[in-house]
Amino acid sequence: MERREGDGGSSGDLPSGDDPVSPALRSVLSAMPTPALACDPETHAIRAANSPAVSLLDREPAALRVLDLSTLTAAGTTVDGDSVDTAIDRARTADGDAGTVAVETEPVDGDESRQRLELTPRLSTVDGDEWLIVGVTDVTDRLRAESQLRSQLRVTEAIASTLPGALFECTANGTLHRWNDRFAADTGYEGRELSSTELTSLFVDSGPDRGGGAGGASVTEMLRRVYRDGERVDREVTLLTRSGERVAYRLTLGPITDGDEVVGAVGIGEDVTATSLREERLAVLTRVLRHNFRNDLNVVTGFTERAIEATDDPQRAAELDRVVDTAERLLRLGETARKVERLLADRPDPQPLDLRETVAEAVASLPRDLRERAAIDVDVPEGVTVTAIGYLAEALAELVDNAIRHNDTANPRVEISAVELPSESWTSLVVDDDGPGIPPTEQAVLTGEETPLDHASGLGLWYVNWIVGASGGALDITESRDGGSRIEIELKTAETG
């Protein structure tokens, strides 16, 4: 093919003394904003490149001119293993959409990294000569990002399939987009039947005042809070399966965000039918037992106190006093059981609490005879705020109550003190007494070492431990300097301001 002599070109072109590139072709290449090469249609030898191509390929213009498209790439093959020359001839076209050829470049100047390029060849006639104009696109970063995304998706799919519970994703309009097998099994739907289904259509309202009608009112409110406020919401609802069965379901929804915008929701679900039924039966059993328990013990206490007044035998009176003490202890046990039941039903979340006010509330709630019998010293600085559930005052009252009741001295002493730890993120609250201390069997509550034959006699320490645990804190029991018990509660210091 005859070539006309050129007389130089713009930056990035490949001029030489016998330059076959015409000024017209140089003008065409220079006008192209994206990387482009001018090649011989037969040999695919590179004859000229515009500035974006020189910059992209990171080679001197003279170095490019001694290459052809095959030697520019690694091993002279495409990423699919085909011959570059064959692939270029197959992809090139004189009109319409050109095909693309994916290749990797040879490393340059000791750089071990390779570029992934897409070559788009077109046959073009410029100033009477036919040229192969090859557009060059660097897709390295795009492919790397796609690879990372595929890896992340594989991990996500593995997590979704491994989770024992249901997992699903909703679009911005509240319709199902993806889900795992557990969710499909819970709902009773198969394959793509759930695709684009509105989440609310799978649930009925479980609220006691809504009549259980269809429409998913409670789930609608959950989604509203997720999409409008960006909140994480947890609630027990009623799942309506494909067969019409109603299932008690624990549903947690959270937002998927893109910057400040909520673009979807992710949900976790669990069939809690067995748990709900068990809790309902336990609640009924507890209420019945507690009611009968209290009434019968009041009868025992009343008749025993009358018997004490009627007897002249000191030994018999002492024995009857023990009966009254035992009955009162069992009554307090029943009251603690009521508190535990309420705590488990409420499932409260931690919140900022003023520690000094909380301690004052705990002391004020003690029976008057206990407050008057003991010396209760409080040393809690002002302005200390901790993160705990609202039952913290009850836990402190339980500790002080036990410290006084189990102390046989004439004037029991209880000290309540608090100090912010040096880390400034935790606060230590200590209840210190001069009583007999807490027996090892009671302390086993904290270690889980109780056995059926050797177990704690009451619920008090259990109750305190559950409250501290629900507050995100820790409980520790040691001996006080007076030989009594020293109970330390560590709570997270709340951020203020």
Side-chain angles (χ1 to χ4, degrees):
M1 179 176 60
E2 182 181 355
R3 302 294 185 199
R4 287 194 291 270
E5 295 295 329
D7 58 354
S10 62
S11 175
D13 293 339
L14 307 175
S16 69
D18 56 349
D19 185 6
V21 180
S22 69
L25 179 59
R26 293 190 183 286
S27 178
V28 169
L29 286 178
S30 297
M32 299 179 70
T34 56
L37 304 172
C39 302
D40 187 300
E42 302 298 333
T43 65
H44 302 164
I46 300 173
R47 299 304 186 192
N50 63 4
S51 294
V54 170
S55 176
L56 170 63
L57 298 174
D58 195 24
R59 294 174 186 259
E60 295 294 331
L64 277 175
R65 188 170 182 178
V66 299
L67 300 176
D68 57 39
L69 294 179
S70 177
T71 56
L72 176 68
T73 63
T77 59
T78 68
V79 295
D80 295 325
D82 298 329
S83 164
V84 171
D85 289 333
T86 302
I88 290 291
D89 289 338
R90 187 167 54 240
R92 72 185 188 179
T93 179
D95 54 10
D97 294 333
T100 59
V101 176
V103 299
E104 286 185 343
T105 62
E106 287 284 6
V108 179
D109 296 333
D111 185 359
E112 295 183 359
S113 62
R114 291 181 173 181
Q115 288 175 296
R116 177 70 70 87
L117 305 177
E118 285 186 354
L119 307 180
T120 307
R122 290 178 182 272
L123 286 173
S124 299
T125 301
V126 180
D127 198 19
D129 291 327
E130 189 176 46
W131 290 94
L132 184 65
I133 307 298
V134 181
V136 185
T137 304
D138 186 351
V139 295
T140 308
D141 291 340
R142 188 193 75 194
L143 293 178
R144 185 179 294 115
E146 290 176 353
S147 176
Q148 292 174 347
L149 179 59
R150 285 192 297 270
S151 177
Q152 292 171 357
L153 288 175
R154 285 194 296 270
V155 173
T156 301
E157 294 296 337
I159 293 173
S161 61
T162 306
L163 282 175
L167 180 66
F168 60 88
E169 176 190 345
C170 289
T171 62
N173 60 4
T175 60
L176 288 167
H177 175 55
R178 292 194 301 171
W179 54 89
N180 65 356
D181 292 340
R182 180 69 265 168
F183 185 69
D186 286 349
T187 62
Y189 291 90
E190 298 180 359
R192 305 298 299 175
E193 292 179 309
L194 289 172
S195 182
S196 299
T197 298
E198 291 187 6
L199 182 66
T200 54
S201 68
L202 299 176
F203 296 88
V204 295
D205 185 16
S206 58
D209 300 325
R210 303 182 186 269
S218 61
V219 177
T220 299
E221 176 59 26
M222 291 176 71
L223 286 174
R224 185 178 296 114
R225 290 173 60 184
V226 169
Y227 288 108
R228 180 191 62 198
D229 304 323
E231 295 182 7
R232 173 187 173 278
V233 189
D234 179 88
R235 185 176 296 178
E236 187 169 314
V237 295
T238 301
L239 173 68
L240 183 65
T241 69
R242 190 181 188 211
S243 63
E245 182 184 2
R246 299 187 177 211
V247 178
Y249 212 68
R250 171 59 59 179
L251 185 63
T252 302
L253 296 176
I256 301 173
T257 59
D258 183 3
D260 295 331
E261 182 183 3
V262 177
V263 296
V266 63
I268 299 174
E270 180 185 9
D271 183 345
V272 292
T273 304
T275 303
S276 295
L277 183 60
R278 179 174 177 271
E279 289 180 353
E280 179 182 358
R281 289 172 176 173
L282 284 174
V284 172
L285 180 63
T286 301
R287 284 195 298 271
V288 171
L289 286 178
R290 192 175 63 242
H291 176 76
N292 293 343
F293 195 69
R294 183 175 60 250
N295 289 346
D296 291 346
L297 284 175
N298 283 332
V299 171
V300 170
T301 302
F303 279 108
T304 304
E305 288 176 342
R306 289 175 59 183
I308 292 173
E309 294 174 357
T311 184
D312 294 328
D313 185 343
Q315 182 176 351
R316 182 60 52 85
E319 292 172 349
L320 293 174
D321 278 335
R322 289 191 59 187
V323 173
V324 173
D325 290 343
T326 301
E328 290 178 346
R329 180 169 55 82
L330 292 175
L331 281 171
R332 290 194 300 273
L333 178 63
E335 177 61 21
T336 304
R338 182 190 67 80
K339 294 178 181 178
V340 170
E341 180 187 4
R342 185 189 58 189
L343 171 64
L344 297 178
D346 286 352
R347 297 178 180 175
D349 294 322
Q351 57 186 311
L353 296 178
D354 185 287
L355 190 55
R356 188 167 185 172
E357 292 179 1
T358 301
V359 172
E361 178 186 345
V363 174
S365 68
L366 295 171
R368 178 178 296 179
D369 63 316
L370 288 183
R371 294 202 307 270
E372 294 176 348
R373 177 186 159 198
I376 304 175
D377 298 325
V378 177
D379 182 16
V380 178
E382 291 185 1
V384 178
T385 304
V386 297
T387 300
I389 64 174
Y391 291 86
L392 180 60
E394 293 189 11
L396 295 176
E398 181 74 28
L399 293 177
V400 178
D401 185 295
N402 285 340
I404 299 173
R405 289 185 189 276
H406 297 294
N407 194 326
D408 295 331
T409 62
N411 300 109
R413 180 196 56 79
V414 180
E415 293 181 357
I416 306 173
S417 60
V419 62
E420 290 187 83
L421 300 178
S423 66
E424 297 184 357
S425 60
W426 290 88
T427 295
S428 171
L429 177 64
V430 175
V431 179
D432 204 333
D433 67 61
D434 60 351
I438 298 177
T441 54
E442 298 287 342
Q443 296 187 36
V445 166
L446 303 181
T447 61
E449 297 174 354
E450 286 188 307
T451 68
L453 298 179
D454 182 20
H455 55 270
S457 59
L459 285 174
L461 199 54
W462 278 110
Y463 185 52
V464 173
N465 194 39
W466 287 335
I467 290 174
V468 174
S471 300
L475 182 68
D476 184 49
I477 301 176
T478 56
E479 184 176 312
S480 71
R481 60 179 179 272
D482 296 323
S485 61
R486 181 183 186 276
I487 301 178
E488 181 180 15
I489 299 173
E490 288 190 4
L491 298 167
K492 192 76 173 177
T493 303
E495 296 182 2
T496 57

